[in-house]
Amino acid sequence: LEHINKATIQEFRDFYNKFYQPNNATLCISGDINIADAKKYVRDYFGIYRKGKVIERQDFILPEIKKEYREVVQDEKAQLPAVFIGLRGPQIGHKDYYAVSLLTNILAAGESSRIYQRIVDKDQSAVQAAVMPVSLQYSGMIFLYGIAGVGKDLDDIEDAMYDEIQKLIDDGITDEEFTKAKNINETRFVSGKKNVLSKARSLAQYYTYYGDANMINTENDKYNAVTKDDLIRVAKKYFDTDKRVVLDYVPKKPEK
């Protein structure tokens, strides 16, 4: 926040003029359109803007997480304690990206998933739990969280999540879990591209990140190519580690 507070108006202008240029943008139009008319409108509205200078981009180097980092956050808005665990994950397009996405379905997608069954249904130590991958252009993150029930211990929730991951690594994945994970993903993939806005956004992202807008028709094949062995491999690679960030959010006690 201090960097934003110290920034000058000229710095914001320079940033805008450098990056907000036609040669650094992707325009995607989706809907019931006439292509010839759409191209004319694009030329009419955007043709007046000249290309900007070639943008020199800095190399993106993300520092390694070398150990476990822990912090307790007292949050006056928190009604129940919660634990958040952050792990490094694969970037968009990495070969592990698709396997990690399916693995998180098995761990915590829906009430029949492993972690939900363990800490919400069985132990009843948590009222909610999830595991989510967040993959970006140059790196990614996987985060797990559990919201504790009244009077329940966050350490028990955290240990139970680690235990379920270790069981998956040691005992493997059932055929039923594997099929369900792929079905969840395919449903999510298709339903996320039903309206024209989501189609346009997907096409723009595929072109921007991969240079291939046609991946909207082929990316699901990459999920279907994932094997059970791939899931165990990425579980060991990304989840079986103590190099993580753990945040315990606890309700802030009122001052006397």
Side-chain angles (χ1 to χ4, degrees), residues 173-182 226-228 231:
I173 296 164
T174 67
D175 290 339
E176 182 181 1
E177 286 179 314
F178 188 52
T179 300
K180 178 189 171 186
K182 289 194 172 184
V226 173
T227 66
K228 287 197 287 186
L231 299 187

Side-chain angles (χ1 to χ4, degrees), residues 102-221:
L102 293 177
L103 180 63
T104 58
N105 288 344
I106 292 173
L107 289 173
E111 296 182 2
S112 62
S113 61
R114 292 196 179 201
I115 288 179
Y116 190 97
Q117 284 285 311
R118 170 70 178 273
I119 65 177
V120 179
D121 280 356
K122 181 181 176 183
D123 297 348
Q124 295 187 345
S125 54
V127 296
Q128 188 175 343
V131 182
M132 300 180 184
V134 180
S135 296
L136 302 175
Q137 188 172 7
Y138 298 114
S139 185
M141 178 185 75
I142 304 164
F143 75 91
L144 307 84
Y145 74 82
I147 300 176
V150 177
K152 301 299 182 179
D153 193 288
L154 290 180
D155 289 339
D156 293 339
I157 294 174
E158 184 180 351
D159 290 342
M161 289 194 285
Y162 296 149
D163 185 54
E164 285 303 312
I165 292 169
Q166 193 60 52
K167 284 182 180 179
L168 184 146
I169 293 173
D170 293 340
D171 301 334
I173 296 164
T174 67
D175 290 339
E176 182 181 1
E177 286 179 314
F178 188 52
T179 300
K180 178 189 171 186
K182 289 194 172 184
N183 289 342
I184 290 173
N185 190 78
E186 185 170 0
T187 301
R188 187 184 297 148
F189 185 85
V190 173
S191 62
K193 296 171 176 59
K194 283 187 174 181
N195 62 58
V196 290
L197 177 60
S198 61
K199 289 177 184 176
R201 183 180 291 116
S202 294
L203 288 166
Q205 289 175 338
Y206 286 128
Y207 180 79
T208 301
Y209 292 141
Y210 307 104
D212 181 11
N214 189 55
M215 279 186 67
I216 194 172
N217 298 313
T218 62
E219 191 180 33
N220 201 50
D221 296 338

Side-chain angles (χ1 to χ4, degrees), residues 60-65 87-94 97 133-142 209 238:
F60 181 83
I61 301 174
L62 194 64
E64 179 185 357
I65 298 177
L87 305 165
R88 253 324 130 66
Q91 67 195 63
I92 285 178
H94 190 279
Y97 167 72
V134 180
S135 296
L136 302 175
Q137 188 172 7
Y138 298 114
S139 185
M141 178 185 75
I142 304 164
Y209 292 141
Y238 296 100

